Amino acid sequence: MAAMVPPGGTSIKTERFRGSLARSVLLLLLLLSLLPAAIISSVNYFRSRQLLHDQTGTQLETIIHSQSQALYQLANQGQASLSQLFSQQEITNSLQILVTQPNDAAAIQNSQQLLQTFLIDYKNISGTTYSQIFVLSKDGKVLVSTDSQWNGQSLSLKGAVSDLIGSEKVMASYNLAPLFTNKWILFSTKPITEVNNTNGPTVVAAIQSPVLEHALQSTDSIYPTGKAYYFTKSQLFQYLQSIGNIHPLDPDQSHLNQLISLVANGEGLGSITSTFGIPVLAYASWLPQLQIGFVIEEPEASIYNLIDTKFQ
């Protein structure tokens, strides 16, 4: 049976339909009116995050460049010292004799005395304090040192020792055992040229300087929520206030790989995951004068906390 429709009226179903349609249209209009505000809010959110990202990145870059200057100055001191040493004919002559007579007691004693005198004189002139100057043979034996207890010691050719032999360079290295156990040292090296113009034993000047610790400590104090590190391809180092020294961390190769990628072109800024599994914004720089990387990391939660809270 057809629905009853009063004269000049509409059915109940039609009235319900029209009511439902009106509500749908009103809801749609309401959503459309809110859409621009939501878009603007989202745009503002991402713009604010990008602004904080860029500002923090600039600050991290400035800190790394500023703290690196003291490290570069230390490296330059290391280079200058060996240039000065090799300019003294009496020292180079004694080292040439030592190369040809490495086991001769008189040659060892003469070279040691000359190196000890140079060590004292150079400190008085430049203010640079050297821990030791020593000569390494190609097989890692200490032919002579300003510390007589080191004479004749044989070092493993693994790791940092092999990097010291046979080339002219400056490098920072950790734990050159047994000479510098669990210490950060800046090494300057220069080979002795033998009579046939080939590289012979290598003269090594070692500086145990507080500059290496101070650079990390100062960077940490500037950014208390962040953390600064030195790194190589296989190790990560941080300054520990509790021991007042630089200490190695258990290696996290995934983290190190991310840092190495950041310095592929010398230096760079990027969002990475820290060695503790925390998202961080990091600025890293490779310091070729010291053969180490220098990075400061700031947790992203600290950077974006206010923005994330405001737009929740």
Side-chain angles (χ1 to χ4, degrees):
M1 178 182 292
M4 297 296 293
V5 179
T10 58
S11 70
I12 295 175
K13 288 185 176 181
T14 302
E15 290 290 345
R16 289 177 177 172
F17 172 75
R18 287 178 179 176
S20 177
L21 179 61
R23 285 193 298 272
S24 297
V25 170
L26 286 173
L27 182 59
L28 179 59
L29 291 173
L30 179 61
L31 291 173
L32 290 174
S33 68
L34 294 175
L35 189 57
I39 292 174
I40 292 173
S41 179
S42 296
V43 170
N44 287 338
Y45 172 72
F46 287 109
R47 280 181 177 174
S48 298
R49 281 182 65 95
Q50 187 61 48
L51 181 62
L52 284 173
H53 174 280
D54 295 343
Q55 288 178 340
T56 304
T58 299
Q59 291 171 358
L60 298 180
E61 179 182 3
T62 300
I63 291 170
I64 287 291
H65 287 173
S66 175
Q67 296 297 329
S68 296
Q69 294 307 309
L71 297 174
Y72 291 147
Q73 184 177 357
L74 185 64
N76 291 337
Q77 290 173 354
Q79 290 176 320
S81 66
L82 287 189
S83 296
Q84 181 68 22
L85 186 149
F86 274 83
S87 71
Q88 299 191 18
Q89 193 65 46
E90 187 178 12
I91 294 179
T92 56
N93 288 343
S94 71
L95 292 177
Q96 289 288 353
I97 295 173
L98 182 66
V99 168
T100 58
Q101 304 174 44
N103 298 314
D104 183 78
I108 293 173
Q109 183 178 12
N110 184 49
S111 292
Q112 181 175 323
Q113 290 175 344
L114 289 172
L115 290 176
Q116 287 172 335
T117 301
F118 174 83
L119 200 69
I120 296 170
D121 291 344
Y122 193 77
K123 176 185 176 181
N124 293 334
I125 295 171
S126 67
T128 302
T129 302
Y130 282 90
S131 298
Q132 301 295 338
I133 297 178
F134 54 100
V135 180
L136 276 178
S137 68
K138 292 180 181 180
D139 60 0
K141 181 181 179 181
V142 178
L143 299 181
V144 66
S145 171
T146 50
D147 183 345
S148 58
Q149 294 182 358
W150 290 10
N151 292 347
Q153 288 212 41
S154 294
L155 308 181
S156 169
L157 291 181
K158 296 179 181 178
V161 175
S162 62
D163 294 332
L164 295 176
I165 296 174
S167 63
E168 184 174 356
K169 66 172 64 173
V170 177
M171 61 177 286
S173 185
Y174 178 77
N175 194 31
L176 186 70
L179 303 184
F180 297 100
T181 303
N182 297 329
K183 295 178 181 178
W184 264 96
I185 303 293
L186 183 78
F187 295 103
S188 303
T189 67
K190 186 177 177 65
I192 300 169
T193 303
E194 296 184 324
V195 291
N196 57 0
N197 288 325
T198 60
N199 287 341
T202 303
V203 178
V204 182
I207 306 176
Q208 186 179 349
S209 171
V211 172
L212 290 164
E213 286 83 7
H214 182 71
L216 286 184
Q217 185 183 19
S218 296
T219 304
D220 284 343
S221 65
I222 294 171
Y223 250 95
T225 56
K227 193 64 185 175
Y229 305 95
Y230 293 139
F231 65 93
T232 65
K233 292 181 180 179
S234 60
Q235 283 188 290
L236 187 71
F237 303 88
Q238 66 174 338
Y239 180 84
L240 289 180
Q241 192 70 41
S242 58
I243 63 173
N245 208 340
I246 299 173
H247 189 73
L249 292 172
D250 291 334
D252 179 349
Q253 197 58 50
S254 174
H255 180 221
L256 288 173
N257 290 342
Q258 293 176 84
L259 294 178
I260 291 167
S261 295
L262 286 181
V263 298
N265 295 316
E267 56 186 356
L269 175 73
S271 295
I272 64 173
T273 302
S274 77
T275 192
F276 304 107
I278 301 171
V280 295
L281 184 64
Y283 192 90
S285 178
W286 185 256
L287 310 180
Q289 295 91 332
L290 287 85
Q291 297 296 304
I292 57 172
F294 188 19
V295 62
I296 179 171
E297 300 178 349
E298 176 72 4
E300 291 189 348
S302 299
I303 300 172
Y304 305 124
N305 180 54
L306 290 177
I307 293 297
D308 289 344
T309 301
K310 179 179 177 181
F311 285 91
Q312 278 182 352

